[in-house]
Amino acid sequence: MKLIFMGTPEFAATILEDLVQQHEIVAVYTRPDAVRGRGAETAASPVKLVAERYGIEVRTPRTLRDESEQAHLAALEPDAVCVAAYGMILPPEVLAIPRYGCINVHASLLPAWRGAAPVERAILAGDTETGVCVMRMEEGLDTGAYCICRTASMEDKSAAALSDELANLGSHALLTALVHIQEGVAEWIEQDEERATYAKKIEKHELDLRPEDDPRKAVLKVRASSPAHPSHAVLAGRSVTVLELRGISGDEAALELTRDMERGSVRFAGKRLFIGLTGGAAEVLRVKPDGKQEMDAKSFAAGIQGIKDGSLVWGAPDGV
């Protein structure tokens, strides 16, 4: 099929990599170059990098409501437009262009977690299962009928690991869906509006750790975090990004080491680093101090005087 692909992050780049092997991609649409990570320099999106490697035309409009952009897209005469985490609304004029419509790979089991941050919201909600759905796009936010879904177990996976898994599942699901659509045998299932939930975008500082969090909430925040939305904390006066945190329920040794910890305290005991939370404690496994490389908790604690006595404190960054 002759396709246009629209997407931006690594999730979408993985799907494009597989799509280009089996179909003709006449153009790729992605978000404009932007500041990504530390520093002031702009960088291309992961999708743009893949497209350039294959010599595919890349377009980065700031809106698809522009008539000249719509005319260019229509002139490409795509059989379908495939979308994955593009980050931009497709207006009705664009939805009407392709022969087989606009098809979206969405990282949730619809109608759960429609919207911008399905992976993160599923983790924060403590869901045990998630997945991807290939859906037919319409004017509503992720409201269209779907034809294929694939499930994945949440377990204790981070947002990055889960996104990678869902990208691979979504890629295979999309390739299958395109065959079914072209052959006219796709079975479209309408979503149950009464079961719909919405995955609003992650706000700045939302995933920062606070002593008021209970251990489970803190662990889920760290699992849901990413370079774009890190879990910051100030541990014993050091500003860090917490990269890995685990609960200690059922860990008798850890429970003994933290038995008298107060909320907001920090303790290094038994060569393990703990933070006091509301209703218990959690173990810090990996951190990235500001301006330094990531390190394990033992290496971090080695540079802090007095941490063994448990009198040091931690909290969210100032102003949060």
Side-chain angles (χ1 to χ4, degrees):
M1 295 175 70
K2 184 196 292 187
L3 305 174
I4 288 173
F5 184 81
M6 297 181 175
T8 299
E10 287 289 349
F11 174 84
T14 297
I15 294 172
L16 177 59
E17 280 276 8
D18 288 343
L19 200 62
V20 76
Q21 307 301 323
Q22 298 192 31
H23 294 276
E24 178 188 2
I25 313 299
V26 294
V28 162
Y29 282 69
T30 189
R31 298 301 298 271
D33 294 359
V35 175
R36 305 180 197 281
R38 287 188 171 272
E41 295 185 3
T42 59
S45 74
V47 162
K48 181 178 179 179
L49 295 176
V50 172
E52 289 180 336
R53 181 151 41 84
Y54 286 101
I56 302 170
E57 177 192 8
V58 177
R59 299 186 69 82
T60 58
R62 296 193 177 277
T63 177
L64 290 175
R65 299 189 182 280
D66 182 78
E67 291 185 2
S68 62
E69 193 62 54
Q70 293 171 8
H72 180 86
L73 198 156
L76 295 172
E77 299 182 335
D79 292 317
V81 172
C82 296
V83 182
Y86 181 31
M88 189 179 296
I89 299 295
L90 273 59
E93 294 82 359
V94 171
L95 295 175
I97 289 173
R99 175 184 176 188
Y100 294 114
C102 297
I103 311 301
N104 183 43
V105 181
H106 186 71
S108 79
L109 295 176
L110 294 168
W113 303 125
R114 298 171 176 174
V119 172
E120 294 87 345
R121 292 299 171 194
I123 291 173
L124 291 170
D127 291 354
T128 59
E129 185 179 68
T130 187
V132 291
C133 287
V134 178
M135 56 164 283
R136 185 168 52 197
M137 297 182 73
E138 56 186 33
E139 290 186 58
L141 178 63
D142 299 326
T143 57
Y146 56 86
C147 64
I148 293 181
C149 287
R150 297 285 186 265
T151 61
S153 173
M154 301 283 287
E155 297 174 342
D156 293 326
K157 298 166 188 170
S158 67
L162 195 55
S163 292
D164 286 346
E165 181 177 348
L166 294 179
N168 285 302
L169 287 175
S171 173
H172 298 149
L174 176 60
L175 290 172
T176 300
L178 289 172
V179 172
H180 291 176
I181 290 168
Q182 189 173 28
E183 294 179 351
V185 297
E187 297 183 5
W188 297 98
I189 301 171
E190 297 295 333
Q191 296 186 42
D192 182 352
E193 290 296 324
E194 293 185 359
R195 295 175 49 239
T197 54
Y198 290 88
K200 67 179 181 178
K201 69 178 183 178
I202 302 296
E203 300 294 338
K204 187 175 182 181
H205 297 304
E206 182 179 348
L207 301 183
D208 287 349
L209 301 182
R210 298 171 173 81
E212 293 76 21
D213 297 333
D214 61 48
R216 176 170 171 75
K217 182 176 182 179
V219 169
L220 293 177
K221 278 185 173 184
V222 174
R223 279 181 51 203
S225 67
S226 66
H229 301 287
S231 288
H232 287 306
V234 178
L235 300 181
R238 311 290 179 87
S239 180
V240 303
T241 297
V242 179
L243 302 174
E244 192 173 355
L245 186 73
R246 65 178 290 271
I248 60 173
S249 176
D251 184 338
E252 294 301 327
L255 290 171
E256 181 62 27
L257 291 170
T258 61
R259 185 170 40 164
D260 59 346
M261 281 190 73
E262 296 183 359
R263 184 178 74 178
S265 63
V266 182
R267 175 174 295 170
F268 184 63
K271 299 182 179 180
R272 300 166 72 177
L273 181 63
F274 301 98
I275 55 174
L277 293 150
T278 298
E283 182 180 2
V284 179
L285 300 178
R286 285 191 308 127
V287 300
K288 183 185 181 305
D290 288 359
K292 297 184 178 181
Q293 298 295 316
E294 66 177 73
M295 61 184 69
D296 60 35
K298 182 179 178 181
S299 299
F300 172 73
I304 301 176
Q305 296 293 324
I307 197 170
K308 292 182 180 181
D309 64 15
S311 63
L312 298 179
V313 298
W314 75 278
D318 290 343
V320 178

